[in-house]
Every structure is written in C-alpha cells, then in structure tokens.
Amino acid sequence: MRIHAIIVAAGSGIRAGGAVPKQYRLVAGQPLLRHAAARLLAHPSINGVTVVINPECRALYDEAVAGLALPEPIAGGATRQLSVLAGLEALAVSPPDIVMVHDAARAFVPAAVLDALIAAFGDAEVDGACPALPQVDSLRRGEAGRFSGSVDRENLWRVQTPQAFRYPALLAAHRAAAPGATDEVAIALAAGLSVAITPGDERAFKVTEADDFAKASAMTSYSSRAASGFDVHRFGPGDHVWLCGIKVPHDAGLIGHSDADAGLHALTDALLGTIAAGDIGDHFPPSDERWRGAASDQFLAHAAELVRARGGIIDHVDVTLICERPKVGPHRDAMRARIAAILGIGLERVSVKATTTEKLGFTGRQEGIAAQAMASVRLPESIA
Ligand code: MG
C-alpha cells in the first residue's frame, strides 16, 4: 500500500500574528512546517510528502525545509479546498493508494495517530479515516452575551488531521466539491463516502493563536546525543595540506583518496555518529571515482544535512588536530569560521584545538596527522 501525504501550507495565518505566515514561524528553533513535514517523513509507512504553498512564500519554504527529502512544492489556490485539489491533481502522474491531507499547523501529530489512521484501511468498506477526539466540554448556544439553549455533545467529535482517503475516491470528491469546503471529511461526506473515526490526540492540536507557539515549544522534547570521530592521513609529497577546510602551506602533503582533510573527516564521522548513520566510508566510498581529490566540505555538509533531515539541531562541535607540524594556531580562527559556514551554525558553537604528541608515535615522527572530533546534537523525540 503506497501512502503519500499532502501538507497544506498555503495560508497566510494572520491570526497567529508574527512577521511571517505561521507555518514558517519557529517552534523550538524550527519552522512549524518543518516539524510537520519531518514528523510525516519519519513514519515508516508514509512513502512521500508533498507540500502545497503560496508561491510568494517560496524563499521561506526553501529555507524551512532545507535538507528534507521533499519533491518540488505545489502552488496552492485561492481557498484551502483549491489548494488541496492542486496537491491531489499533482499526484495523479503516480497515484498513491492512500493520500493523507494534513494541516501544517498540526505539526506535532504522534506516530500512534498515524498508525491508527493507516490501520483503518484494513476494512475494505472504508473510503477514508480521520482522527478525532470526543467532545468532553458541554456545548451551549448563546447570543448577545446570554445563553439561549443547549447542544447535545453526544456523538460530537473534534476532528484533527491528517485525514486519509483512498486516493481515487478523494480526488473525485474534491473535483466535485464546493471551493469553500473546510476539510476532507466534509467533502467526503458530501460525496457519500464512508469515513472511519480513529483516535485523535491532544498533542495534535492546531497552532492557531499566538499563545499556541509557546504551548507547542513547551511540548517539544529533545534528546541530546554526542558522538566522536577519528581519522589519520599519512604525509606524502606536496607543498600544502587541507585541515578543517583550510589550505595550510607545508613542506609535505597528505595522502588520501579525497583531499585528505583529517579534521573534516573526523568531524563528519562524529556527526554521522550522533544519528547512528554509519561512517564517512559508507556515504562516500573510496572505491567511487567521484570522490577522488574531492573537497571534504561536501562530506561534512552531507552529514549535517542528514542530522537536519531528522529534525536535529547541531549544538556544538569540537575538533582536535594532532601533529607536530604544521602549526595550527595561525589558522585556527579561519578553520572555525570555515566549519561554522559548512554546518550553518554560529562560530561560538565551533571549537578547533591542536596538540602534539611530544614527538612520540607516528604523529611525533611526522609520518602523518591524526584528528579527533566530538559533535553534540539535539534530536526531537516524540513530544511529551
Ligand atoms: Mg580520512
């Protein structure tokens, strides 16, 4: 069963205030839209996620989702319904079995909500499914500051997203729908489809008002990860070495398949370690001719992208270069600045240190350079 999700993020979100539409506002350091997309991408049964945006917000979008595995976004329409329809039509070239339609503002949907939604399709009679919570507060009618009547809360549900449907059924229903329809359940019911109620979750609340951003931030929990990396390259003929992304004049070069930048290699391994994503050789095999003489900044940038694709935040990195010569001190600030630029983090989060081994061992004999690195990151957990 192929499942594709559409995230509707074309609205202007003025109710939440702020300088940018609310889907691009930060919660726990990341745009709301990024939280929403990363959560769906992380679900093992969801094969892909497409975002529908306002094309005027393209630059905000690109920045918000940088590094996430998303296809080209789709331009939305004048109403939510038209935006969803545009997303559905875009999937027609390679139609999924199930399509989920999700609001970017419900950025913190627990995986269990998605599991239950998908499980509902085990019933062949079901055309769609929607997470919902029972209405527990009493409902009353009122006008002009006075209550005027009661509403029976029995059989009333507060619907959430994502709402999931068999793709052909939802596409047909949307093509026939009124442009003002507010959600897929309404459209599906109007088309006579059968929609199952699955368990919702309070944590999948819609970020609507300004206060909701503080509530969302407080709910996001991160776990800290630290990992180390180590690398060695042997000296050979040459007149410079690459260390931490800086070309350092020297009376020897370093031998390696790439540019032999031991500092960046150790740091790349440390970052990969924080997400248990193997090592640099797995991602850039020395057997691959593409990496012959390659600049190592792309290895480090790739590792950083993988961390960010997991919703991770790079808190700090620390590299120690181990050699008698060349002297690292004169290049230390340039190295820090280069690493900060590659990782897209502040200079204060980057440390470069150097030591000798008192002329002992292979580094002491100036046969090569060793480097070790530590990286500390925060990865989002399922929200509290
Ligand atoms: Mg290496």
Side-chain angles (χ1 to χ4, degrees):
M1 194 163 74
R2 214 168 70 77
I3 302 175
H4 197 97
I6 293 171
I7 297 179
V8 195
S12 60
I14 45 173
R15 259 190 297 176
V20 295
K22 72 178 176 190
Q23 59 272 35
Y24 300 111
R25 282 186 62 189
L26 301 185
V27 171
Q30 297 194 62
L32 202 53
L33 172 60
R34 186 181 187 89
H35 285 287
R39 216 158 256 270
L40 294 186
L41 284 169
H43 194 281
S45 299
I46 297 176
N47 304 97
V49 177
T50 297
V51 184
V52 182
I53 66 167
N54 178 343
E56 287 175 15
C57 295
R58 181 60 195 259
L60 284 170
Y61 170 81
D62 287 341
E63 194 185 343
V65 303
L68 296 184
L70 295 172
E72 187 68 9
I74 303 301
T79 66
R80 184 187 181 284
Q81 187 270 326
L82 291 171
S83 291
V84 175
L85 180 56
L88 291 171
E89 298 282 7
L91 297 184
V93 284
S94 174
D97 301 301
I98 305 292
V99 62
M100 289 184 178
V101 180
H102 189 41
D103 289 333
R106 292 190 193 272
F108 304 100
V109 178
V113 170
L114 303 173
D115 294 341
L117 201 53
I118 293 165
F121 290 91
D123 179 348
E125 310 270 287
V126 153
D127 300 306
C130 170
L133 292 166
Q135 176 63 40
V136 290
D137 295 326
S138 295
L139 293 175
R140 298 287 180 267
R141 280 186 211 288
E143 47 220 291
R146 295 289 185 276
F147 287 115
S148 59
S150 293
V151 178
D152 189 354
R153 74 178 175 216
E154 207 182 333
N155 301 329
L156 288 183
W157 295 85
R158 294 153 53 207
V159 300
Q160 300 186 319
T161 72
Q163 301 178 1
F165 292 85
R166 299 191 195 279
Y167 174 74
L170 186 65
L171 179 61
H174 253 280
R175 282 175 174 165
T182 52
D183 75 346
E184 281 49 63
V185 170
I187 289 166
L189 293 178
L193 300 181
S194 157
V195 187
I197 301 170
T198 60
D201 192 299
E202 293 291 354
R203 292 168 291 184
F205 78 106
K206 190 170 188 171
V207 177
T208 306
E209 308 294 341
D211 287 352
D212 293 338
F213 282 87
K215 180 178 165 189
S217 284
M219 278 171 32
T220 312
S221 75
Y222 288 88
S223 69
S224 294
R225 309 276 184 94
S228 68
F230 181 76
D231 195 36
V232 170
H233 281 274
R234 179 190 290 275
F235 281 125
D239 61 3
H240 68 275
V241 295
W242 284 94
L243 285 175
C244 294
I246 298 298
K247 187 177 181 178
V248 178
H250 191 47
D251 53 18
L254 286 171
I255 300 170
H257 184 65
S258 66
D259 65 6
D261 188 330
L264 291 191
H265 293 182
L267 184 50
T268 301
D269 267 355
L271 269 182
L272 291 173
T274 63
I275 51 171
D279 60 34
I280 193 169
D282 296 329
H283 295 267
F284 303 98
S287 55
D288 190 330
E289 278 305 307
R290 273 183 299 169
W291 314 123
R292 181 176 294 283
S296 296
D297 57 351
Q298 60 192 310
F299 304 156
L300 183 59
H302 177 72
E305 254 173 52
L306 292 179
V307 170
R308 294 216 169 88
R310 294 273 304 274
I313 296 167
I314 301 168
D315 276 330
H316 191 257
V317 298
D318 179 53
V319 181
T320 302
L321 299 171
I322 306 166
C323 58
E324 301 293 329
R325 289 177 61 246
K327 288 284 168 233
V328 170
H331 306 284
R332 184 200 312 260
D333 287 342
M335 290 174 175
R336 290 179 61 215
R338 184 72 194 113
I339 290 171
I342 296 166
L343 296 178
I345 62 176
L347 192 59
E348 77 285 0
R349 295 174 184 273
V350 179
S351 162
V352 173
K353 315 194 300 295
T355 187
T356 71
T357 50
E358 297 289 342
K359 300 201 161 52
L360 296 169
F362 71 86
T363 55
R365 293 189 298 270
Q366 299 193 45
E367 292 166 5
I369 286 182
Q372 59 188 36
M374 283 285 292
S376 308
V377 308
R378 269 174 295 157
L379 294 179
E381 302 262 281
S382 54
I383 49 179

